Structures are given as structure tokens and as C-alpha cells.
Amino acid sequence: MSKLSIRNFNLYYDDFHALKDINMEIGEKEITAFIGPSGCGKSSLLKSLNRMNDLVEGCSINGEVLLDGKNIYDKDVDVNTLRKRIGMVFQKPNPFPMSIYDNIAYGPRTHNINNKARLDEIVEKSLRGAAIWDEVKDDLKKNALRLSGGQQQRICIARALAVEPEILLMDEPTSALDPISTSKIESLVQELKDKYTIIIVTHNMQQATRVSDKTAFFLSGEVIEFNDTDTLFSIPKDKRTEDYITGRFG
């Protein structure tokens, strides 16, 4: 069953046609990977899925992105509510310069949850969900910026989980991390699939094969191929996909 349906979606930065007629069905509680060379449009599409592109000057779109059948670009859609349903984790860990506790409680507070017992419960549940509770439970007042890079990224994932999203967008979430932290995040992503629909942009094709159910290969603003990950990597239908995954370009 599709959680997100992307239909005839085009995106322009001024005159530059960055995404061209994208059509894609994103399955519920699946992990979908976007791969392709730099500048091919995968991050542009990811940011379109919770309307981060609203913040980009000169950006215009046409087409539809349906979340449970409703177009997220309709005029009556509240963007804050949309971003609660579709959370985002960025390439570089970006915890707020405040305590671990306040990082996680930040989102719920903006949605008017101020009861201390309820916030305590959300903070613990979110940190457990991001597989970092045992590492920080005795240090919740510590500034999150004093944690390691891998821990900071898991704090950012916990912060995204705290508002109980349905979809998690991850833009190269391990590209700034060492192999051990990368492995922890990958394990976490696979655990989170039980509860969330996840879309991950990655330059690491091995990562796509390790964590994702489906993979989309982007090139020059187009989706060249979209299939089950095992199929796309073992018997690609398009020569350009084969050339990219075998390292002939990109």
C-alpha cells in the first residue's frame, strides 16, 4: 500500500528544470533509497516531500505529492502539521545548542505539550527509539553539542521521532560519520521500519543494498529506474543504471 504517491512532479529553480516528471509510489513502512550522482535531483525530491523547498527562493513546482491520498501542496494544507507527519534528518548532525532533554522536548513543546511527566515520557521513548537512551540517560542536562558525531545524529533522529511522525526523510544521514557510527545508524533505520515509512538519500550504494527495500536511481533530474533493491542491483533494466552501480560513472 502506498503512503506517498508522487505524480507528474516537476521542480524548477528559476529556469533550471531540476526534477522532470517524477512518478513514484512509496510503500508504507518500507525503506526507499534514492541513489545517483551529485546534482541529479534526489535531495531536491526529498526536500519536496515535506515542503522544505517552500523556503528556497525561485523554486516552483507542478504536479502532486499525495500523502494518504491528499495533495500536500493544496492551499489548505498546514505546513507545520505536514512537517510533524513527515520528519527530516539532515546530512550533518544539527542538534540545537541546548541540553539533550531540551532537544527532544523542543518539538512536543511547539505543539503545546508542556506537562513535565508527559515530556519525560516522550523524551525517554524517543531516545530509546533512536537507540541512544542507555548512553545518555544519566546526562540529559548535558549540552547535546558535546556528544560525538554519531551520538549527535541519533539525538537528531530522536528529536524527529518525538513529534510522532509517520514518515522519516533522511538526507545522507551517515555521510559525516565514521564506520562504527554508520553501522549503528543503519541498524537503527532497519528497526524503525516497523513503525515508520523511511526514505533515505545515499551516495553509498552498499548502504542502499544493506538497508532499503526499494531503490530509485536518479540521473539529470529523472528517475531512470525504480524497483526492488535486490532486482535493481542484480538485474538492472537500464544500461545507465548498470553503468552507475558498476562504477563506470558517478
Side-chain angles (χ1 to χ4, degrees), residues 111-127:
H111 293 284
N112 300 314
I113 296 173
N114 294 300
N115 176 279
K116 174 79 167 58
R118 178 76 183 111
L119 285 173
D120 288 352
E121 186 185 313
I122 291 170
V123 168
E124 178 173 346
K125 182 182 174 188
S126 304
L127 290 168

Side-chain angles (χ1 to χ4, degrees), residues 133-159:
W133 170 252
D134 289 339
E135 293 167 52
V136 301
K137 64 185 177 188
D138 299 322
D139 273 327
L140 294 178
K141 291 182 178 167
K142 179 178 179 177
N143 191 310
L145 295 175
R146 291 173 55 199
L147 298 170
S148 71
Q151 288 175 319
Q152 286 186 23
Q153 191 64 302
R154 281 182 286 148
I155 292 295
C156 293
I157 292 170
R159 188 175 68 198

Side-chain angles (χ1 to χ4, degrees), residues 60-72:
S60 60
I61 67 110
N62 60 58
E64 293 183 318
V65 176
L66 304 177
L67 172 59
D68 293 335
K70 165 83 172 165
N71 186 12
I72 67 169

Side-chain angles (χ1 to χ4, degrees), residues 46-110:
L46 193 78
K47 289 170 184 169
S48 301
L49 300 180
N50 72 346
R51 292 185 48 174
M52 294 287 286
N53 54 14
D54 288 14
L55 309 170
V56 179
E57 199 173 331
C59 179
S60 60
I61 67 110
N62 60 58
E64 293 183 318
V65 176
L66 304 177
L67 172 59
D68 293 335
K70 165 83 172 165
N71 186 12
I72 67 169
Y73 284 92
D74 281 352
K75 287 187 169 59
D76 63 347
V77 169
D78 179 81
V79 176
N80 287 331
T81 305
L82 174 72
R83 291 190 187 137
K84 183 177 183 293
R85 294 181 70 190
I86 305 181
M88 183 111 182
V89 176
F90 295 93
Q91 181 172 356
K92 194 163 177 264
N94 62 341
F96 301 139
M98 54 180 72
S99 72
I100 294 166
Y101 184 99
D102 287 337
N103 263 273
I104 312 307
Y106 184 89
R109 282 173 176 150
T110 64

Side-chain angles (χ1 to χ4, degrees), residues 214-242:
K214 293 206 168 81
T215 297
F217 168 55
F218 288 72
L219 189 63
S220 304
E222 296 179 65
V223 174
I224 304 301
E225 194 162 339
F226 180 43
N227 211 332
D228 293 339
T229 297
D230 291 346
T231 305
L232 185 136
F233 279 94
S234 57
I235 37 173
K237 293 191 174 84
D238 193 291
K239 174 101 172 44
R240 292 166 294 179
T241 311
E242 184 181 351

Side-chain angles (χ1 to χ4, degrees), residues 31 186-187 189-190 193 200 206-213:
I31 301 172
E186 287 181 4
S187 298
V189 167
Q190 288 181 295
K193 182 177 80 164
I200 182 168
Q206 287 73 33
Q207 182 171 76
T209 60
R210 285 193 297 264
V211 305
S212 70
D213 300 295

